[in-house]
Amino acid sequence: MNVTRGFAGRPRVHNPGLPPGQYDAGDDWPVLSAEVTPDLTPADWAFRIDGLVAEPRTWDWDGARALPGSVYEGDIHCVTSWSKFGVRFGGVSLDAFLEVVRPEASATHAVAYSHTGYTTNLPLGDLTGGRAWIAWEYDGKPLAAEHGGPARLLVPHLYFWKSAKWIAGIHLLDHDEPGFWEQNGYHSRGNPWEEQRYSGD
Amino acid sequence: MTDTTVTGFSAPRSPFSPPTRFAVPGRIAVSNRAAAVWQTATLSEIRRETPHAATFRFAVPGWAGHLPGQHLMLRVTAHDGYTAQRHYSLASAPDDTGHIELTLDHVEGGEVSGWFHTEARPGDQVEVRGPLSGFFAWPGDRPALLIGAGSGVVPLMSMVRHHRARGLDVPLRLLVSARGPEELIYAGEYGDETTAVFTRRASEGVPVGRLSAAHVAPLLTGAGRPPGGWEAYVCGSNGFAEHASRLLVEAGQPVDRVRIERFG
């Protein structure tokens, strides 16, 4: 252990919800995106699932909103080391979308992509079983553009760079393909509890 | 470039390419080994830049080199094993062998910046891993238009220093915004490449006001625009980044040639 002289840190509050290396950002919700925030209205928005599926499908705003609603209440964790507790997102479980397109048995991974072109890769297993959402509400209000509105992917059990803002589609594959940050040195999966921050962790 | 971490730009290997106007730039390969390993960094010098910002110089003998614009992760450890880690942009140019510099604001209530600004002294040791991420990096190969505010100028200064140290003739311009002259980080180091914009206070005869289209437009039209255009790098608070990136796009800068680093 390399103790830093004079560093005491904040008073320790044991929080079993805080993954290693993270701090509680409190009311802050920092914005971290590498691209210009797009001017995207619900009328412009569409969401497609294709690749290794039985029936590729594109939903428009009204079509997606017509699926049964689902809420995520819990925590989110950013690789830059802040965590945010007790957030509430409203949207639709990704399971509801996948039920329609029916993934092929050979599908093992996915590339999620944004209307900007941002990409991130995920094992398909991280998108199913009630662990991923298409979210358009935050705290009961429409999701702000800088946080990915009108709709973003939400995969709260992984570092938040996996929760692609301005979600445009999910492409299913039978292999893993690194996305934008993953090509830039970040970890392929990004599990905060295992501190999978960078490639090699 | 001689940095071992750089293999230059190359097309992403991915066979799946969604429609995009956002440049996923040709990857600047980062050394995953260097990024994965924590190294000891020994503080060797502290230089005050402004009342709220100081530069911290470290000896890191095993530093693998970096590109201007890259960042690192820094970790400090308390006696009971508690650690805190933060991402910081590198301020120094790559050629500063075995040494790196960070310029940190004193964030109110900041756990790590508070330690740096009130406790740290030469000889103290912290841990770093990096350099990290190639997206915001600028290898010095293409005209660069840099726009920063507050401590957002830090990674941009690494680019300016690199440009100067290597004697590069590729066009480089920096627009830097600060509340007033006393809060302008690296004030003594700017040259002809830089225009300072003061939002609250300035010395007599110097205009005061927000970064505007009037600052940006001349660089994107006519003689101000280099052949082939600029690669734009924007760094600052989210509010500033939104404002500056919109100004750029409105002035004609292609959206897929704007890279943004936001300080959340």
Side-chain angles (χ1 to χ4, degrees):
Chain A
M1 188 169 75
N2 295 293
V3 172
T4 309
R5 186 201 59 78
F7 177 70
R10 290 203 180 98
R12 316 289 186 270
V13 180
H14 178 65
N15 188 335
L18 198 62
Q22 298 291 107
Y23 70 93
D24 180 355
D27 293 333
D28 288 346
W29 186 4
V31 173
L32 294 160
S33 36
E35 69 267 58
V36 178
T37 301
D39 285 319
L40 192 65
T41 67
D44 303 324
W45 183 83
F47 173 61
R48 178 172 176 81
I49 305 183
D50 59 14
L52 295 173
V53 297
E55 286 183 49
R57 170 82 188 262
T58 302
W59 287 265
D60 65 9
W61 182 254
D62 291 340
R65 303 272 304 195
L67 291 167
S70 175
V71 165
Y72 170 72
E73 282 182 303
D75 311 329
I76 55 176
H77 312 287
C78 177
V79 69
T80 61
S81 76
W82 56 265
S83 290
K84 189 166 174 60
F85 292 103
V87 299
R88 189 172 194 277
F89 286 94
V92 166
S93 168
L94 200 62
D95 292 314
F97 292 94
L98 290 168
E99 203 173 296
V100 175
V101 299
R102 290 181 285 130
E104 306 277 4
S106 58
T108 56
H109 289 81
V111 174
Y113 58 96
S114 299
H115 281 272
T116 59
Y118 173 84
T119 57
T120 188
N121 57 310
L122 300 112
L124 185 54
D126 280 317
L127 293 174
T128 57
R131 298 205 290 169
W133 288 258
I134 299 299
W136 35 69
E137 281 179 7
Y138 177 76
D139 208 12
K141 300 184 193 75
L143 185 62
E146 62 184 15
H147 289 302
R152 73 181 297 160
L153 179 64
L154 177 68
V155 192
H157 68 284
L158 299 178
Y159 283 127
F160 221 46
W161 89 79
K162 295 290 181 180
S163 295
K165 295 177 178 182
W166 314 294
I167 187 74
I170 291 177
H171 185 74
L172 299 195
L173 299 160
D174 61 3
H175 61 278
D176 197 10
E177 255 181 45
F180 172 72
W181 285 122
E182 295 82 8
Q183 290 172 40
N184 276 290
Y186 282 64
H187 196 276
S188 191
R189 179 147 184 263
N191 180 348
W193 295 95
E194 295 178 13
E195 278 203 88
Q196 293 171 339
R197 298 176 190 275
Y198 302 103
S199 177
D201 281 349
Chain B
M1 296 293 300
T2 55
D3 306 46
T4 53
T5 51
V6 181
T7 59
F9 288 94
S10 62
R13 195 163 50 86
S14 167
F16 172 68
S17 302
T20 182
R21 290 189 65 211
F22 170 51
V24 177
R27 179 184 177 192
I28 298 168
V30 294
S31 163
N32 293 330
R33 186 178 303 168
V37 175
W38 288 103
Q39 303 184 63
T40 298
T42 305
L43 189 56
S44 60
E45 184 189 341
I46 302 174
R47 297 198 304 270
R48 181 136 300 280
E49 302 284 359
T50 72
H52 302 290
T55 292
F56 299 86
R57 180 173 175 81
F58 299 89
V60 190
W63 188 250
H66 62 274
L67 288 171
Q70 286 191 290
H71 62 266
L72 54 64
M73 191 166 238
L74 182 143
R75 178 167 78 183
V76 288
T77 303
H79 275 287
D80 63 357
Y82 171 83
T83 62
Q85 48 190 6
R86 299 288 185 273
H87 279 106
Y88 292 121
S89 293
L90 287 148
S92 43
D95 296 338
D96 201 359
T97 313
H99 287 82
I100 55 171
E101 292 186 358
L102 309 176
T103 300
L104 309 185
D105 266 336
H106 192 171
V107 180
E108 196 180 336
E111 184 179 34
V112 178
S113 75
W115 177 81
F116 269 105
H117 280 271
T118 60
E119 286 285 340
R121 61 188 188 219
D124 284 347
Q125 294 191 325
V126 300
E127 291 171 289
V128 297
R129 59 189 294 195
L132 302 169
S133 185
F135 172 68
F136 200 72
W138 180 70
D141 61 340
R142 57 188 72 182
L145 173 55
L146 318 178
I147 305 184
S151 58
V153 74
V154 172
L156 309 179
M157 195 60 196
S158 178
M159 300 175 189
V160 172
R161 288 168 169 165
H162 180 59
H163 190 264
R164 218 170 265 169
R166 289 284 177 94
L168 303 177
D169 54 14
V170 61
L172 183 85
R173 289 300 311 269
L174 170 64
L175 298 175
V176 56
S177 175
R179 289 193 184 90
E182 76 291 351
E183 292 190 45
L184 183 63
I185 297 173
Y186 313 129
E189 260 191 81
Y190 298 119
D192 291 345
E193 79 289 327
T194 298
T195 303
V197 179
F198 298 114
T199 58
R200 306 264 178 88
R201 301 170 293 281
S203 40
E204 214 174 312
V206 177
V208 171
R210 205 177 184 203
L211 181 77
S212 71
H215 297 106
V216 174
L219 296 168
L220 292 174
T221 52
R225 181 181 182 277
W230 299 100
E231 208 64 37
Y233 293 78
V234 176
C235 187
S237 68
N238 181 57
F240 177 81
E242 284 292 299
H243 173 66
S245 61
R246 279 177 190 280
L247 285 180
L248 279 171
V249 172
E250 283 163 12
Q253 176 71 7
V255 71
D256 58 359
R257 294 181 69 185
V258 180
R259 295 152 200 259
I260 306 178
E261 186 108 296
R262 300 165 199 257
F263 289 172

